[in-house]
Amino acid sequence: MPDPQLPHQRRPASHGRRLRAALVGTGGIAEAGHLPALRSQAHRVDLVAAVDTDPARLRAFTGRHGVPAGFATVPEMLDAVRPDLVHLCTPPAAHAADAVACLRAGAWVWVEKPPVLSLAEYDRIEGSEQPGGPYASVVYQHRFGSGARRLAGLVASGALGRPLVAQCVTAWFRGHDYYEVPWRGDWATEGGGPTLGHGIHQMDLLLSVLGRWTEVRAMAGRLDRAVQTEDVSAALVRFAGGTVATVLNSVLSPREESRLRFDLTEATVELTHLYGYGDDDWQITPAPGATDAARLARLWRTAEPAAEIRSSHAAQLPHLLDALERGVRPPASGPAGRAVLELITALYRSAFTGQPVRREELGPHDPFYHHLHGDTPEWAPADRAPGPPPGTAAEPAAPEGRDTDAAPAGPAAPAAGRPGASR
């Protein structure tokens, strides 16, 4: 619910006028994801400002991309530009404060993953929204590709039978050099390990197909990387309809892969990709004797959307702009944006306590609602809950793999929590 104590600046719906957008953080994810998405919607939105704490990087970014104005802080930008939409491309520790400031100034927000460090922060953002906008939406681009949208529609209609079993795998490789960036691997600045920062996309897609989960049983480890957080986690998840899913999140996997598998009574549907997918990355296998391949292929071809849409920021942004123009809650916002964070919180709590967690057990009374380490002695930072580190001492890892997600452009990113520090 909106917080009545917060003064807001309300703005009328756009009514067909061109929208004005600003980017906060000019690092790798802004270049690779947000700029192409904005260019794809150049007929309706203008990029009018950028924010970064690194003056040289800001000058280079605005000059390279023809951005009219650059600022060192979010408040300066909001006062001077009054954008309709702000893209938050900074490390996650800065998201909550910046999102609240933007919403209170009347700007809608599109925030990178992970959107926040805790459910408490997410609820703070949602409490700063107003009916009819502004709203905050999260970058969960995998649910907007044509394959995921077709599958969700077919599962909802029952055309593929009942979902029984699912697998959700984020097996990525992040070497020791990846964690030399100051804000990575720490609870206070990154918020979590691969469970929060890497597997969130695949888990969100899983939930977009299967719906509400009810119970989680999980394990986590700090096996090889020099981090406070985990570097691997695994879970069993039960859904409201009875479906049982396995979830794996890793940054220790030399052969990288993102994979989802859905076993239904009529067919198996599989998606194998890495950082983004197209229609060719999906495979459908009929159940023996349950249906024929021709019928299944016809179902897939005729399901909406008919045209291929690759999963990307550009696939999601039009839905956000449509909602902004109409003054309605966008997709991947509110409860729909919170769902995967609830699953992630339950996974950490189950892994660190050794107990199953049900969805209704999460709330402000729970330490995991406020910090994903839950102040657990073996996992929380030393200044919160001293204790021996979990896992085992490790030898140096194998040769480093590439580091592509949200990599900073140029020098290492400034520590999170400073407005405008880039991912």
Side-chain angles (χ1 to χ4, degrees), residues 66-323:
V67 182
F71 300 90
T73 70
V74 170
E76 288 178 301
M77 179 273 294
L78 292 172
D79 287 343
V81 176
R82 292 179 55 82
D84 300 294
L85 174 65
V86 177
H87 299 230
L88 295 183
C89 309
T90 48
H95 289 169
D98 285 347
V100 169
C102 292
L103 291 167
R104 291 180 64 181
W108 292 47
V109 175
W110 198 24
V111 58
E112 262 299 333
K113 66 85 182 170
V116 289
L117 305 187
S118 66
L119 286 174
E121 288 192 350
Y122 189 90
D123 290 348
R124 180 184 169 206
I125 293 173
E126 189 176 1
S128 300
E129 298 173 337
Q130 290 289 300
Y135 294 109
S137 182
V138 185
V139 177
Y140 291 148
Q141 72 269 30
H142 286 342
R143 70 164 80 167
F144 293 91
S146 50
R149 290 167 60 189
R150 289 189 197 113
L151 177 60
L154 290 171
V155 171
S157 72
L160 301 179
R162 292 185 296 113
L164 304 175
V165 179
Q167 300 173 27
C168 178
V169 175
T170 302
W172 292 2
F173 187 89
R174 298 293 180 268
H176 295 287
D177 61 342
Y178 178 84
Y179 292 101
E180 291 174 2
V181 176
W183 58 269
R184 290 180 176 147
D186 286 0
W187 291 110
T189 50
E190 193 168 22
T195 311
L196 176 68
H198 301 83
I200 190 170
H201 282 312
Q202 267 63 245
M203 288 187 283
D204 178 71
L205 199 161
L206 179 79
L207 296 184
S208 75
V209 174
L210 296 180
R212 185 183 179 91
W213 64 272
T214 59
E215 184 181 358
V216 175
R217 298 169 183 258
M219 300 177 69
R222 186 189 300 145
L223 304 183
D224 191 70
R225 302 298 183 257
V227 294
Q228 288 183 348
T229 66
E230 87 289 358
D231 54 21
V232 65
S233 69
L236 289 172
V237 183
R238 190 183 304 277
F239 286 82
T243 308
V244 174
T246 61
V247 176
L248 174 69
N249 303 296
S250 166
V251 288
L252 308 176
S253 306
R255 187 183 72 79
E256 296 184 288
E257 180 180 70
S258 302
R259 179 168 55 84
L260 289 105
R261 172 175 172 145
F262 301 88
D263 293 316
L264 303 100
T265 53
E266 294 290 310
T268 291
V269 181
E270 298 170 90
L271 168 64
T272 305
H273 69 115
L274 189 51
Y275 303 126
Y277 64 80
D279 284 354
D280 289 343
D281 297 314
W282 293 82
Q283 179 178 346
I284 303 179
T285 304
T291 188
D292 62 86
R295 174 181 171 274
L296 201 59
R298 186 168 61 252
L299 272 177
W300 187 259
R301 284 197 311 271
T302 57
E304 293 294 331
E308 180 181 28
I309 302 171
R310 292 193 61 84
S311 67
S312 64
H313 291 66
Q316 182 175 352
L317 182 57
H319 299 273
L320 174 56
L321 297 181
D322 289 347

Side-chain angles (χ1 to χ4, degrees), residues 28-42 65 312-314 317:
I29 198 63
E31 295 268 5
H34 290 262
L35 277 177
L38 285 165
R39 291 187 186 116
S40 74
Q41 297 296 307
H65 299 294
S312 64
H313 291 66
L317 182 57

Side-chain angles (χ1 to χ4, degrees), residues 378-390:
E378 293 81 7
W379 283 96
D383 61 343
R384 295 190 61 89

